Amino acid sequence: MNYLYLFGYPLGHSVSPAMQNAALRACGVRGTRYEPRAFPPERLSDMFAVMREPNALGANVTVPYKQMILPHLDGLTELAREIGAVNTIVKRDGQLVGDNTDAYGFIRSLRVRRIEPRGKRAAILGAGGAAAAVAFALGDAGAREILLLNRTPARSAALAERLEARFPKLQLVLDDWGRLGRAALVVNATSVGMTPRMDGSPLPPDGWVARGVVVYDLVYNPPLTLFLREARARGARVIGGLEMLVYQGARALELWTGARAPVRVMRAAAQAALDSPS
Ligand code: ATR
């Protein structure tokens, strides 16, 4: 048996195993399973020992590893290096190469809804690995302005520095919460509002939500966070995190197997796993 892994800590109830195993079956990839493995950070070396076994083909990594594992990999794709975060490891000739499919997943989920970031103002809440992927994706798609808002301003400043170097024309605004109302697209890339602490919201809705603004929450469990519910009640167009999850997973599957990802099968399996947590 060969393995693809999901590494994170704690992992909680992730829908990725259901989604990826359904995809592997639908693609006819036999003898390969996708398995969650929750190694705590102090066992990072064990995690890499597992990845270096010959039957390990690749992995996804999630909180808290997206940035932490960078120095331990054999190589990075240019995109992962730029973003400074890895969500997918691909084994090539025995080498562990870090890639990032979050950026693709985010942009793809907008484009299938005909939402075009080019020339628009966007705001991102958070400054971790997920926020960085979203910011680089928006920069690459030609957004005019990105407002970075984070609990820890030093982290948004560090992210802004890297964005500035890569996208000299992009306007970057830091920690100016009053400017939120000017954004056409607002993305929650923090973990606030995620199960089991579903009563949290990264922002109160007062003042900034205008009719028609797109509000995207990368949290997928619950499917409709308090943040999205409040934004929707004020006329925003809302998108939940399951969409990005599906497309980042689709891209990862393609990198690991070379097969064309069965996106519908993946979405249905992810949705079913969310609806009936076992
Ligand atoms: P990921 O790689 O998934 O983005 P991360 O790097 O741990 O995970 O980033 C989590 C983000 O959520 C950060 O922006 C974090 O803010 P800090 O940089 O201040 O830590 C944000 N976050 C997590 N819990 C939060 C909370 N209770 N309130 C506000 N922001 C929070």
Side-chain angles (χ1 to χ4, degrees), residues 180-200:
L180 199 58
R182 301 181 68 178
L185 169 65
V186 178
V187 184
N188 175 36
T190 77
S191 45
V192 180
M194 192 184 290
T195 182
R197 300 176 65 185
M198 296 182 289
D199 55 351

Side-chain angles (χ1 to χ4, degrees), residues 6 36 41 57 72 76 80 82 85 105 125 144-145 160 162 178 181 211 215 218 230 234 243 246 256 271 274:
L6 170 63
L57 307 182
H72 304 277
L76 293 174
E82 265 175 19
L125 314 177
R144 169 157 54 131
E145 175 184 298
R162 290 191 300 109
R211 184 157 291 279
V215 179
L218 302 195
E230 289 179 335
R234 285 168 172 76
E243 287 307 297
V246 168
W256 294 322
Q271 188 72 61
L274 251 190

Side-chain angles (χ1 to χ4, degrees), residues 53-275:
E53 282 169 16
N55 65 356
L57 307 182
N60 278 140
V61 295
T62 185
V63 183
Y65 293 120
K66 285 183 177 178
Q67 293 166 320
M68 204 188 286
I69 62 162
L70 261 64
H72 304 277
L73 293 162
D74 301 320
L76 293 174
T77 61
E78 203 183 322
L79 182 67
R81 191 186 311 277
E82 265 175 19
I83 295 173
V86 161
N87 78 320
T88 301
I89 302 173
V90 182
K91 201 184 259 180
R92 289 216 175 89
D93 303 325
Q95 302 283 296
L96 302 179
V97 179
D99 203 339
N100 191 304
T101 69
D102 280 339
Y104 167 86
F106 177 73
I107 275 308
R108 181 97 189 107
S109 65
L110 290 184
R111 295 237 160 100
V112 296
R113 288 172 171 71
R114 308 207 179 285
I115 297 168
E116 178 50 61
R118 181 165 298 279
K120 303 255 174 68
R121 291 195 175 93
I124 301 172
L125 314 177
V134 167
F136 273 83
L138 288 172
D140 201 45
R144 169 157 54 131
E145 175 184 298
I146 298 181
L147 168 63
L148 291 174
L149 302 169
N150 194 44
R151 177 177 63 178
T152 310
R155 275 186 104 188
S156 24
L159 174 55
E161 211 168 284
R162 290 191 300 109
L163 284 165
E164 215 158 34
R166 172 69 177 79
F167 305 108
K169 287 191 188 149
L170 176 66
Q171 264 182 273
L172 286 159
V173 184
L174 295 188
D175 303 306
D176 180 355
W177 297 81
R179 209 172 162 87
L180 199 58
R182 301 181 68 178
L185 169 65
V186 178
V187 184
N188 175 36
T190 77
S191 45
V192 180
M194 192 184 290
T195 182
R197 300 176 65 185
M198 296 182 289
D199 55 351
S201 175
L203 270 181
D206 41 294
W208 63 272
V209 183
R211 184 157 291 279
V213 62
V214 176
V215 179
Y216 198 142
D217 200 332
L218 302 195
V219 171
Y220 69 81
N221 193 0
L224 209 53
T225 56
L226 177 60
F227 182 52
L228 290 187
R229 290 201 308 276
E230 289 179 335
R232 190 167 69 174
R234 285 168 172 76
R237 178 172 180 193
V238 304
I239 307 173
L242 195 72
E243 287 307 297
M244 173 160 154
L245 180 85
V246 168
Y247 287 110
Q248 65 76 32
R251 179 75 144 206
L253 182 88
E254 292 179 350
L255 292 172
W256 294 322
T257 67
R260 197 187 156 95
V263 171
R264 276 194 211 170
V265 170
M266 294 176 81
R267 182 180 290 108
Q271 188 72 61
L274 251 190
D275 291 344

